[in-house]
Amino acid sequence: MSYEFITVRTEGDKVGIITLNRPKQLNALSPQLMVELGQALKAFDADPAIGCLIITGNEKAFAAGADIGAMATYGFADVYRDDYITRDWETIRSIRKPVIAAVSGFALGGGCELAMMCDFIIAADNARFGQPEIKLGIIPGAGGTQRLPRAVGKSKAMDMALTGRMMDVREAETAGLVSRVVPLDKLMDEALGAALTICGFGQLAVMAAKECVNRAFEGTLADGVMFERRLFHALFATSDQKEGMDAFVNKRQAAFKNQ
Ligand code: CAA
């Protein structure tokens, strides 16, 4: 498939890499870009050879938010009728393989929200995060008011949403928004290394781990622990569990078959 606002490639036939590609607009997330992103995510998720996905941008911007020019003329009837955001942006929530955000430069508004919708964020030392929607007379609309407090706590999330200020990468790492910080020129190596590590494990266990961690954000502790326990039990029905444990006991490398 050919795309106008993203580029797509694979690494080692195992990692699907999606690069947001509207550099002149700092990768502003237009409706068409989000449709293309959803299509590419779904295609990689359906490809049995792919074990992990990466979404990235360019040096200056991961994404500076939803496309303000496109939104400027929308009225309530347009956004409500078209189910703006939900219809195209939430595709990523249905992706079952891990999705890593490799962030450099600005990750603002919808860009910060897109990064937070990924499973974890690896950031370059020039990354800056923020929810500046308040300056536009709106509020974050792609989950920012919900995912940011879960990531960094209420006080900092409230500060970001109410003042619209940016967080540099050190603050983001200390607050728990990003999992690793690396020099800009090492960003893709680090993200690929993490992705290839994940691809080396059994896909069923990887998908179950992702599903369980996501549960921690959407229900009570008791429900989450029960969900985890059931999937943990279910993995004992897989050949990958036999293989992984036999390999450990016999001091050899495991060869997972994703079964
Ligand atoms: N939408 C559309 N265009 C954008 C954009 C956006 N979110 N962000 C940047 N651009 C465009 C600029 O209009 C500019 O275009 P022109 O060259 O045609 O004028 C180009 O990208 C470069 O931007 P700047 O000249 O502003 O670059 P800068 O380095 O001086 O500033 C910036 C960078 C601080 C990120 C600034 O561009 C900025 O504040 N951008 C808007 C950030 C923002 O408000 N994001 C939230 C959007 S709303 C949202 O996302 C809603 C939601 O929750 C879903």
Side-chain angles (χ1 to χ4, degrees):
M1 203 177 297
S2 68
Y3 300 107
E4 190 177 347
F5 296 129
I6 61 171
T7 62
V8 168
R9 67 185 175 93
T10 58
E11 184 78 25
D13 290 333
K14 290 177 183 169
V15 182
I17 302 171
I18 301 169
T19 304
L20 309 175
N21 190 30
R22 291 185 79 204
K24 286 194 185 126
Q25 294 81 18
L26 304 184
N27 290 336
L29 302 167
S30 64
Q32 190 185 332
L33 186 154
M34 294 311 292
V35 168
E36 293 182 7
L37 177 63
Q39 288 169 343
L41 285 166
K42 279 195 204 159
F44 279 138
D45 207 34
D47 182 343
I50 297 294
C52 190
L53 284 65
I54 297 173
I55 301 178
T56 193
N58 59 51
E59 205 167 292
K60 182 152 188 208
F62 176 74
D67 190 319
I68 300 168
M71 275 186 300
T73 58
Y74 292 168
F76 170 77
D78 305 306
V79 292
Y80 187 67
R81 186 194 316 106
D82 294 348
D83 212 6
Y84 179 53
I85 301 294
T86 311
R87 194 189 53 194
D88 299 324
W89 290 55
E90 302 238 329
T91 306
I92 191 168
R93 295 186 65 202
S94 66
I95 303 303
R96 301 187 70 204
K97 293 170 186 169
V99 184
I100 301 171
V103 174
S104 43
F106 296 114
L108 301 178
C112 185
E113 292 168 304
L114 175 61
M116 289 192 289
M117 280 194 244
C118 296
D119 295 312
F120 61 99
I121 302 174
I122 299 181
D125 49 14
N126 75 338
R128 300 177 81 186
F129 299 86
Q131 298 290 163
E133 289 89 343
I134 199 82
K135 298 180 187 172
L136 300 169
I138 55 168
I139 61 170
T145 65
Q146 304 305 301
R147 291 193 181 90
L148 194 59
R150 283 166 169 80
V152 305
K154 176 186 164 185
S155 186
K156 203 173 275 290
M158 210 51 114
D159 179 0
M160 305 300 294
L162 293 179
T163 69
R165 76 173 176 89
M166 288 187 222
M167 223 193 258
D168 69 17
V169 81
R170 295 292 158 209
E171 185 179 2
E173 186 185 30
T174 307
L177 181 60
V178 310
S179 70
R180 312 180 192 184
V181 177
V182 293
L184 176 59
D185 62 347
K186 298 280 183 300
L187 178 64
M188 282 316 286
D189 288 349
E190 189 77 14
L192 268 171
L196 287 168
T197 297
I198 291 166
C199 290
F201 300 130
Q203 210 169 76
L204 299 176
V206 165
M207 284 163 57
K210 166 170 172 159
E211 210 171 6
C212 283
V213 175
N214 277 334
R215 272 282 161 140
F217 291 97
E218 286 170 11
T220 63
L221 179 63
D223 287 345
V225 169
M226 179 58 78
F227 186 79
E228 177 203 84
R229 200 61 35 78
R230 292 292 171 254
L231 275 182
F232 174 71
H233 290 163
L235 288 168
F236 283 78
T238 67
S239 63
D240 282 349
Q241 174 263 335
K242 300 287 174 297
E243 170 63 13
M245 294 192 182
D246 185 73
F248 179 83
V249 168
N250 291 299
K251 303 191 187 307
R252 63 177 175 81
Q253 191 72 30
F256 295 113
K257 295 202 174 77
N258 302 332
Q259 284 172 3

